[in-house]
Amino acid sequence: MECRVLGLSLLALGLVGCGSEAEAPPAEAGDYAALLGEWRVVGHEAPGISALSEAQAEAWLGARLRINTAWMALGETFCEGMTHAAEPRPVGELLADYRLDDGALPPLAGREVVVQHRLDCDGQSWPTLGGTLLWLDEERLLAPWEGVFFMLERDDGFRAYGNEPFWNLAIDTQGLRFADPFTGLDVRTPLPEAEALAAGGSVYHAQTEAHDLRVEIRPETCHDSMAGAPFETTVTVTLDGQQFEGCGGAVPAF
């Protein structure tokens, strides 16, 4: 497995990478490294003709686009044979491509040029949201798709998921949260100090009056057991003696 740094914000959480500090993206943000991490859809604008209804566009809110050095994933859609191209585009020219008037897209207001990233899969166009990304800054991307411009924000933290039973885990500065959306299980604890594993990776162990929660994160490539989507790490959660296996992704932050 390729060994890489997980980013400064995650180093503070104890999710230690492989030795050196993360490099900042170039000022023009045309480098593919600037896209690495997890991005969450937080809003959208439809300034022109759109193939999506308002309800269909709203349904994308909260979706997470994960971009790794060799793959990208959006829900159950993923690609492990990506190609990338970036070019600076005059904003006026870009708006004309989408048949929009000057000033029709507020996130681009005041800009003369924006870097457009194209991500393709196995020589073909990425089939859903995320194939075209417009770089706004280190925390925001704009993703035009089907006439809608979706706003994406960088999501710092760690997420893990498992199937049969279904569960999800979040680790951030607020603490640990382990949940099963089907049974209503929702366990939250403060963030404990991470302990390093001898073979690499980290362990978080937290206890409350009601629960004992242990999370082991290993730097081993993992694939979702149902969809096959790739993740950077293998995760084992033990809650009150019951073990759950799954996959997780740390989020690089520049």
Side-chain angles (χ1 to χ4, degrees), residues 13 17 21 24 29 55 82 88 105 108 113 115 119 137 144 149-150 160 165 178 187 210-211 218 231:
L13 294 179
E21 293 186 354
M82 289 173 49
L105 201 55
L108 298 182
V113 177
V115 173
L119 300 172
D137 54 46
F149 290 78
F150 292 91
F178 180 76
V187 177
H211 298 288
R218 303 184 301 280
F231 288 81

Side-chain angles (χ1 to χ4, degrees), residues 49-105:
I49 299 174
S50 169
L52 302 180
S53 67
E54 179 67 17
Q56 288 173 323
E58 288 283 342
W60 282 99
L61 293 179
R64 298 176 187 276
L65 177 67
R66 297 183 295 114
I67 304 177
N68 190 267
T69 53
W71 51 259
M72 66 186 292
L74 179 70
E76 295 186 357
T77 303
F78 63 93
C79 175
E80 295 183 278
M82 289 173 49
T83 56
H84 166 259
E87 64 172 324
R89 298 286 309 280
V91 168
E93 176 185 288
L94 183 72
L95 291 174
D97 286 350
Y98 291 98
R99 299 182 180 179
L100 298 176
D101 296 330
D102 290 344
L105 201 55

